[in-house]
């Protein structure tokens, strides 16, 4: 089974602090994603990466950055947290799309619930 | 532009009764459709997918979904609901005709399913 591991389940930070959210997958997947989940809004894509050192902005990249130095690891960085970044953050991975990989589902970690006070 | 709509925020059903969770989509190409389930404080788990072929697809835990191209729908169904099916359900679509956004999924806002004893 694919395992996607997010380093923290719960985090509480003060406004203005820098936060690193780490995600590691063990199935050699090319694609990795960061979503945030908010009630009534569903999942919104922040950033994704389809290869090492490659990244693309999702729908809500403002206030976030990412790092993909190794294939298995995708980090989400909040340079200076604000209260509107209080949310559940979900990391996911999948095989590279293209050809038969179009049918590859995303595999999710258990999420990190971040509270910014 | 891609979009996924889940018209019901909540679905309530008695145990043993059939359940349906609705999903409609809008993509520019042929859709790749997915259903996910989320239990409290967990990430999303893949249930089933439609890529091509038979319009009725079967997935995990006795769930199935019916693809209807003319109605652009992909409703999730189960013949006999269980209390343990109570969870948050997400429909998602991938449009393989897109370029650099290959691999990403667009999610609906989710439907909370409650099955009472």
């Amino acid at each position: 089974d694919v395992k996607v591991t997010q380093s923290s389940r719960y985090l509480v930070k003060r406004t203005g602090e820098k936060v690193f959210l780490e995600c590691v997958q063990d199935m050699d997947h090319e694609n990795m994603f960061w979503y945030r989940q908010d009630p009534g809004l569903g999942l919104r894509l922040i950033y994704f990466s389809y290869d090492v050192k490659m990244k693309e902005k999702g729908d809500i990249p403002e206030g976030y950055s990412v790092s993909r130095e190794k294939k298995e690891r995708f980090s989400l960085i909040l340079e200076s947290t604000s209260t509107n970044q209080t949310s559940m953050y979900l990391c996911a991975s999948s095989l590279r799309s293209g050809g038969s990989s179009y049918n590859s589902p995303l595999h999710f970690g258990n999420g990190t619930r971040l509270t910014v006070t | 532009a891609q979009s996924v709509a889940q018209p019901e925020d909540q679905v309530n059903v008695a145990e043993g009764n059939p359940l349906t969770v609705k999903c409609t989509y809008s993509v520019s190409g042929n859709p790749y459709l997915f259903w996910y389930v989320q239990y409290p404080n967990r990430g999303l788990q893949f249930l089933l997918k439609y890529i091509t072929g038979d319009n009725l697809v079967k997935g995990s835990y006795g769930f199935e979904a019916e693809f209807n191209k003319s109605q652009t729908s992909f409703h999730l169904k189960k013949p006999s609901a269980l209390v343990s099916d109570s969870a948050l359900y997400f429909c998602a679509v991938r449009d393989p005709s897109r370029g650099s956004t290959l691999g990403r999924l667009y999610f609906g806002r989710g439907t909370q399913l409650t099955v009472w004893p």
Side-chain angles (χ1 to χ4, degrees), chain A residues 9-10 31 33 35 37 40-43 45 48 56 59 90 97 101-106 108-110 113, chain B residues 32 34 36 38 41-44 46 49 51 88 90 94 96 100-110:
Chain A
R9 292 299 305 276
Y10 300 95
N31 296 337
F33 306 81
Y35 287 88
Q37 181 181 9
L41 297 178
L43 275 71
L45 184 64
F48 64 106
E56 278 207 30
D59 300 321
L90 293 168
S97 285
S101 294
Y102 278 121
N103 61 5
S104 174
L106 267 60
F108 284 84
N110 280 331
R113 187 168 294 281
Chain B
Y32 287 52
F34 300 79
Y36 285 82
Q38 185 181 33
N41 298 314
R42 301 294 299 272
L44 277 67
F46 168 70
K49 64 185 177 187
I51 304 301
L88 188 57
F90 288 95
R94 175 183 286 149
S100 64
T101 55
L102 292 176
R104 69 167 291 180
L105 290 181
Y106 296 84
F107 286 86
R109 295 188 175 188

Side-chain angles (χ1 to χ4, degrees), chain B residues 5 7 10 14 24 36 49 52 76 79 85 98 100-101 103 109 114:
Chain B
Q10 289 203 344
T24 58
Y36 285 82
K49 64 185 177 187
T52 187
L76 182 70
D85 292 330
R98 291 293 297 269
S100 64
T101 55
R109 295 188 175 188
T114 301

